[in-house]
Each structure stands twice: as structure tokens, then as C-alpha cells.
């Protein structure tokens, strides 16, 4: 009689429980306490629900989150647990470990399955994924890890895309391996037939983290996740084909530039971007045919507040829609320029030493009781007339003049479509074309333009899309693959 392995039985139990939910219960006899379930050696840790317990109590006991506890057990918010019900405990180390995993940009079902030594069908079944297209970046999955830990493992190897004339013998000879080694790594059964465009994982030492991607894509990275309204996301790619990639995210074209052996693009989502899933589409440019890659990325609400601003009768004429429209159109010709190399390195610094924020980024604004039709495109820092304003990172001055709404204005091009703006200045200390370094004084704060008091309005734009610049003081851009051990 053929018997199933323990991991197989655990996976079947997890899938059944995810499909049926808390209706699978074992009721204890009244007055008889139910002991904790003792897993077989190497099995996952489980807990038998006791009288008076709820998910919060159980989660606190094992040091896990209620969300993860619900996810690995297939529970919904409205489900009620019963005494005697057996729950899987996520994250406890063993041969089979119930855990959770947040899908990253560039992940595929085969990639996730390989990192946890399971199968794409098992991951799809446990999460009720109808197809591979149901996977999106930012999604949290329940996974039964068969690696002995709840953490994903690194799958190393180098990518070989089969070309016309390739055979298993010629590919093996190219990398100094035996045909049997390559066949075993790629689970190829004899007789082995290669076809043009087929992906092979070559098991070499000192190689990058291998991803099970379509076509000749070697690496696709993006982040940081979770992605919120008003934030920047970086996309880093490598492909075995010659040429430069192109693509779209959330309807915006991606401007790729060479970076760290691959290509990088930055894209911003403004504060009025609707929460939801946005398509990321990558492909090759020009005549070279690249296999396209598509994935949805989830964008979450940031919870920006509303801001009501009252201005004096003297400044009220500046509220006319045509004044803002004309000035915005002019600035778009500057902020929409693309320089294909970054001038900065590392984190940005705040543009002032006094970092008291009087108005944050993203708040929907009403002026003098009008409608909330615009949002605050930057961060307002408290200050006085004459407060030193510094460049947060290296760049080139592309504008230094006075505007009707923004008053005294300086704009710095940091490269890769990233520009920072400084408004309401009383004095400008730099000229167009001048190179500036991080920390260099470029202007002095003021109260010019549409301003109700001395302060600095600082904003950051990615290809003319205003984003929260404070993210850049905490997160390094652009993204690149981490060095492998």
C-alpha cells in the first residue's frame, strides 16, 4: 500500500481547511479541557482552541499576527472559532512550516514555490488562485514551506535561454557541466529535447538569485512595497536580450536607463491616484523581440487629510484657476525632462535644519471655502525670512526665478527624471546650469507668491508627478539587486 509523506498530508490538510473554513471543528466534552495538539516530529505546530480563547489570545501566545493566523487557516473576518478546533501556527520551524509571504514585483508562482520547496499548484490551491494572472505584487499568500523554516530560500543559478542549434550536450559543455547535472536541475526527463527560447537554470557557484521568469528576463525587482498613494516605486530589470527595455506602470511610460548591470526606471503615483491594482508591463524596445512581462501591483490608500486654507483679499486673485493652469503648464515643461543618469547617491537629506512640518504632502486643499480639487504637492517646513535652504542631494539647477504662485523658485534636476522644487523664497543663490552638492545652500526662505506666512514649500517630482519627498529621506533609490553571498 502506498503511503503519503508527512508534508503531503499537511498540505492536503491545509488546502482542505482553507476551502472549508472553521466548519471543521472537534467539540470537546463538557468539562474536559482539550490539550494542545502535538505534531509528529518535523511537523508543523498546531493549537487546539480552548474554551474562552479567541484569535487575539492565540496569536499573542505564539507571537504571531492575527492576520497571518487567519491566512494560513483559511479564516475570514466573520468566522468564529470553536473549542476543539485545530489551528496551524504560522512560522514555527520544522520540516513543514505554515507561513505567509508577500508577493514582490517580479515574482511568479514557480519562483515562490521554488523558494519554499513546494509546487505552484500547492500555492495556487492554498490561496484559491484561479490562474497565474491572479497573482499581484503586494498580495499576501499562505504557504506551506518545506524548507524547514518560514523564510524563503535563495534559488541560485544562472539563466541560459536555448538558442537555435543548442543541445543538452552543447549547453553542458559551454558551462563545464555534465548533461545529467543540467537535466537534474531542470527536472528534465529523458529523452531530453530542447526548443528555442526554453529557459534552463545552470547550477553554478557565485551566481545571482535565480527567478523563474518568462522569456529571457533574468531579474525583475520593484519597490518598496507596500506601495501607497503619493510614493515612488523603482523598477530594476535585467534581460538576456540586447537593447533597452520599455514599459508602462499605472498608465505612465517607464524611462529606463543603464544601472548596475541592468536597467532602472522610477515612477511616481500622486496623492489622487485611486487605490487598487495597476498593471506593470515590461517589454523590449525596437526590433529586438523580448518576451513581455506583465504583473499587477497593488496601491494602498495613504489616508491623507484635508486642508482648508484662507488667504487674504490681496492674494485672492491668485486663486483664479487660469493662473494655476498657466503656471502648472509652464512647470511641466521643466519637470517633464529626463536626464538618463543619476547625480545623487544614497538618501536625500531634508532641505532645512528645522524640520518642523506645518503642512504635509498629499492633503486635499480648499482655498477660501472652495472645492477640494487639488492636493498639496509638497511639504511645508516652518521657517523665517532668510532661513538657509540646502540641496537635499547633488544635481543641476534647471530653474531659478520668480513665479506668480510659487514666488521665488529654484528647481534642481537630480537625474533619472527626479527633480526637487523650492518655493516662496526670499533670495536665490544659484543660477541655471550650476552643479550643486548635497547640503549646499541654494536659497533663503521667504513669504513670496501664494503664501500665508514665511515657510519653505519643498516638493519632489518624478517625470512631473509630485510625490512625497520625505520617502526619499528614508528609502534609497534607485533599486538594484543586493550583492549575493
Amino acid at each position: 500500500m502506498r503511503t503519503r509523506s508527512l508534508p503531503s498530508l499537511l498540505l492536503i490538510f491545509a488546502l482542505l481547511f482553507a476551502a472549508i473554513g472553521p466548519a471543521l471543528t472537534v467539540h470537546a466534552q463538557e468539562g474536559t479541557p482539550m490539550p494542545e495538539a502535538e505534531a509528529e516530529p518535523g511537523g508543523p505546530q498546531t493549537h487546539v482552541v480552548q474554551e474562552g480563547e479567541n484569535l487575539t489570545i492565540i496569536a499573542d501566545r505564539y507571537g504571531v499576527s492575527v492576520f497571518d493566523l487567519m491566512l494560513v487557516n483559511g479564516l475570514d473576518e466573520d468566522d468564529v472559532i470553536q473549542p476543539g478546533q485545530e489551528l496551524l501556527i504560522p512560522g514555527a520551524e520544522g520540516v513543514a512550516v505554515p507561513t505567509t509571504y508577500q508577493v514582490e514585483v517580479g515574482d511568479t508562482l514557480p519562483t515562490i514555490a521554488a523558494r519554499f520547496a513546494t509546487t505552484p499548484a500547492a500555492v495556487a490551491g492554498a490561496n484559491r488562485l484561479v490562474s497565474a494572472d491572479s497573482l499581484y505584487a503586494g498580495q499576501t499568500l499562505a504557504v506551506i514551506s518545506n524548507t524547514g523554516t518560514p523564510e524563503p530560500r535563495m534559488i541560485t543559478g544562472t539563466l541560459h535561454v536555448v538558442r537555435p542549434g543548442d543541445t543538452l550536450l552543447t549547453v553542458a559543455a559551454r558551462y563545464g557541466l555534465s548533461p545529467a547535472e543540467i537535466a537534474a536541475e531542470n527536472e528534465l526527463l529523458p529523452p531530453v529535447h530542447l526548443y528555442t527560447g526554453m529557459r534552463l537554470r545552470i547550477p553554478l557557484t557565485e551566481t545571482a538569485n535565480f527567478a523563474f521568469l518568462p522569456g529571457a528576463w533574468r531579474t525583475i525587482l520593484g519597490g518598496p512595497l507596500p506601495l501607497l498613494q503619493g510614493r515612488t516605486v523603482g523598477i530594476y530589470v535585467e534581460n538576456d536580450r540586447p537593447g533597452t527595455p520599455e514599459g508602462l506602470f499605472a498608465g505612465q511610460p517607464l524611462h529606463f536607463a543603464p544601472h548596475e548591470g541592468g536597467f532602472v526606471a522610477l515612477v511616481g503615483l500622486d496623492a489622487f491616484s485611486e487605490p487598487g491594482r495597476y498593471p506593470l508591463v515590461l517589454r523590449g524596445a525596437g526590433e529586438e523581440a523580448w518576451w513581455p512581462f506583465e504583473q499587477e501591483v497593488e496601491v494602498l490608500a495613504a489616508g491623507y487629510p484635508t486642508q482648508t486654507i484662507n488667504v487674504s483679499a490681496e492674494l485672492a486673485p491668485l486663486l483664479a484657476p487660469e493662473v494655476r493652469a498657466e503656471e502648472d503648464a509652464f512647470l511641466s515643461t521643466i519637470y517633464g525632462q529626463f536626464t538618463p543618469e543619476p547625480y545623487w547617491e544614497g538618501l536625500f537629506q531634508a532641505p532645512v535644519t528645522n524640520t518642523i512640518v506645518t503642512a504635509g504632502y498629499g492633503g486635499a486643499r480648499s482655498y477660501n471655502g472652495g472645492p477640494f480639487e487639488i492636493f498639496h504637492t509638497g511639504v511645508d517646513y516652518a521657517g523665517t525670512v532668510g532661513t538657509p535652504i540646502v540641496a537635499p542631494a547633488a544635481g543641476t539647477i534647471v530653474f531659478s526665478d520668480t513665479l506668480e504662485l510659487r514666488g521665488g523658485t529654484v528647481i534642481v534636476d537630480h537625474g533619472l527624471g527626479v527633480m526637487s522644487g523650492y518655493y516662496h523664497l526670499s533670495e536665490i543663490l544659484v543660477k541655471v546650469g550650476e552643479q550643486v552638492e548635497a547640503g549646499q545652500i541654494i536659497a533663503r526662505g521667504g513669504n513670496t507668491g501664494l503664501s500665508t506666512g514665511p515657510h519653505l514649500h519643498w516638493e519632489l517630482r518624478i517625470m512631473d508627478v509630485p510625490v512625497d519627498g520625505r520617502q526619499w529621506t528614508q528609502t534609497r533609490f534607485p533599486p538594484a539587486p543586493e550583492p549575493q553571498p
Side-chain angles (χ1 to χ4, degrees):
M1 178 177 177
R2 185 178 179 182
T3 60
R4 295 183 183 273
S5 66
L6 178 59
S8 297
L9 291 172
L10 292 169
L11 180 57
I12 292 171
F13 170 75
L15 295 177
L16 285 173
F17 198 87
I20 299 174
L24 288 177
T25 59
V26 179
H27 295 282
Q29 295 182 355
E30 188 173 353
T32 304
M34 293 291 293
E36 290 187 22
E38 294 185 4
E40 296 180 30
Q45 187 172 13
T46 60
H47 175 84
V48 178
V49 179
Q50 306 294 300
E51 193 72 42
E53 287 185 329
N54 57 35
L55 290 177
T56 301
I57 293 173
I58 297 170
D60 287 344
R61 175 173 183 177
Y62 293 98
V64 300
S65 72
V66 172
F67 176 81
D68 286 353
L69 187 62
M70 293 174 63
L71 189 61
V72 299
N73 288 282
L75 299 174
D76 294 323
E77 292 182 359
D78 297 331
D79 291 332
V80 178
I81 59 174
Q82 305 291 336
Q85 183 174 339
E86 191 172 53
L87 300 177
L88 291 168
I89 305 301
E93 294 200 5
V95 173
V97 182
T99 188
T100 59
Y101 176 77
Q102 184 181 58
V103 180
E104 298 180 353
V105 172
D107 276 343
T108 64
L109 276 177
T111 300
I112 297 170
R115 287 175 179 167
F116 291 98
T118 183
T119 66
V123 177
N127 295 277
R128 306 174 189 175
L129 301 178
V130 177
S131 67
D133 294 336
S134 303
L135 200 69
Y136 60 88
Q139 181 179 14
T140 302
L141 300 177
V143 180
I144 301 295
S145 171
N146 294 309
T147 65
T149 77
E151 299 299 323
R153 64 177 179 173
M154 180 184 295
I155 307 300
T156 59
T158 192
L159 170 66
H160 177 84
V161 180
V162 175
R163 292 171 168 80
D166 276 352
T167 66
L168 190 61
L169 182 61
T170 60
V171 173
R174 176 177 176 178
Y175 295 99
L177 300 171
S178 70
E181 288 176 300
I182 295 180
E185 285 294 327
N186 293 275
E187 300 180 356
L188 302 176
L189 300 177
V192 176
H193 298 288
L194 304 185
Y195 57 87
T196 301
M198 183 179 182
R199 291 171 59 93
L200 296 176
R201 181 162 67 92
I202 309 301
L204 299 177
T205 59
E206 298 181 359
T207 54
N209 194 10
F210 184 85
F212 294 83
L213 294 165
W217 295 102
R218 290 180 176 271
T219 303
I220 298 175
L221 302 173
L225 297 179
L227 180 57
L228 305 179
Q229 297 165 305
R231 301 298 173 86
T232 303
V233 60
I235 308 294
Y236 175 85
V237 301
E238 296 174 2
N239 197 290
D240 195 47
R241 300 285 189 181
T244 301
E246 62 181 21
L248 295 169
F249 177 59
Q252 298 184 50
L254 298 177
H255 299 267
F256 280 100
H259 183 69
E260 299 288 341
F263 296 88
V264 69
L266 299 169
V267 62
L269 295 173
D270 69 34
F272 277 178
S273 298
E274 288 291 333
R277 300 177 200 169
Y278 289 86
L280 168 66
V281 181
L282 302 172
R283 55 181 176 264
E287 298 180 358
E288 184 68 34
W290 288 21
W291 192 280
F293 174 84
E294 297 186 21
Q295 183 182 34
E296 289 190 327
V297 181
E298 185 175 36
V299 176
L300 303 178
Y304 294 118
T306 57
Q307 301 170 0
T308 300
I309 309 296
N310 294 314
V311 301
S312 65
E314 181 183 358
L315 296 176
L318 295 179
L319 299 178
E322 59 272 17
V323 175
R324 180 173 294 276
E326 182 179 352
E327 192 164 296
D328 286 350
F330 168 74
L331 288 177
S332 290
T333 64
I334 298 173
Y335 281 122
Q337 299 176 32
F338 180 77
T339 304
E341 67 269 353
Y343 297 133
W344 82 95
E345 291 184 1
L347 295 175
F348 277 41
Q349 67 181 64
V352 289
T353 55
N354 176 12
T355 56
I356 298 175
V357 174
T358 57
Y361 166 90
R365 285 199 155 181
S366 166
Y367 285 92
N368 289 354
F372 292 92
E373 295 179 336
I374 64 173
F375 65 90
H376 193 219
T377 55
V379 180
D380 286 350
Y381 289 105
T384 62
V385 174
T387 295
I389 309 300
V390 303
T396 301
I397 304 300
V398 291
F399 184 83
S400 61
D401 207 338
T402 299
L403 298 172
E404 196 169 7
L405 283 176
R406 276 82 174 180
T409 299
V410 168
I411 299 177
V412 182
D413 179 7
H414 302 285
L416 295 183
V418 182
M419 296 195 189
S420 57
Y422 312 79
Y423 305 156
H424 311 304
L425 306 173
S426 62
E427 185 180 2
I428 295 174
L429 305 176
V430 289
K431 297 179 180 179
V432 171
E434 185 175 341
Q435 304 291 318
V436 296
E437 300 297 329
Q440 179 179 335
I441 298 177
I442 58 176
R444 300 192 182 278
N447 187 32
T448 57
L450 183 58
S451 172
T452 58
H455 72 286
L456 169 69
H457 174 102
W458 175 57
E459 68 181 47
L460 195 80
R461 296 198 182 198
I462 313 295
M463 295 305 298
D464 197 31
V465 176
V467 296
D468 191 345
R470 287 175 296 180
Q471 181 192 16
W472 285 66
T473 67
Q474 303 169 2
T475 302
R476 292 177 180 269
F477 290 100
E482 296 181 0
Q484 303 300 330

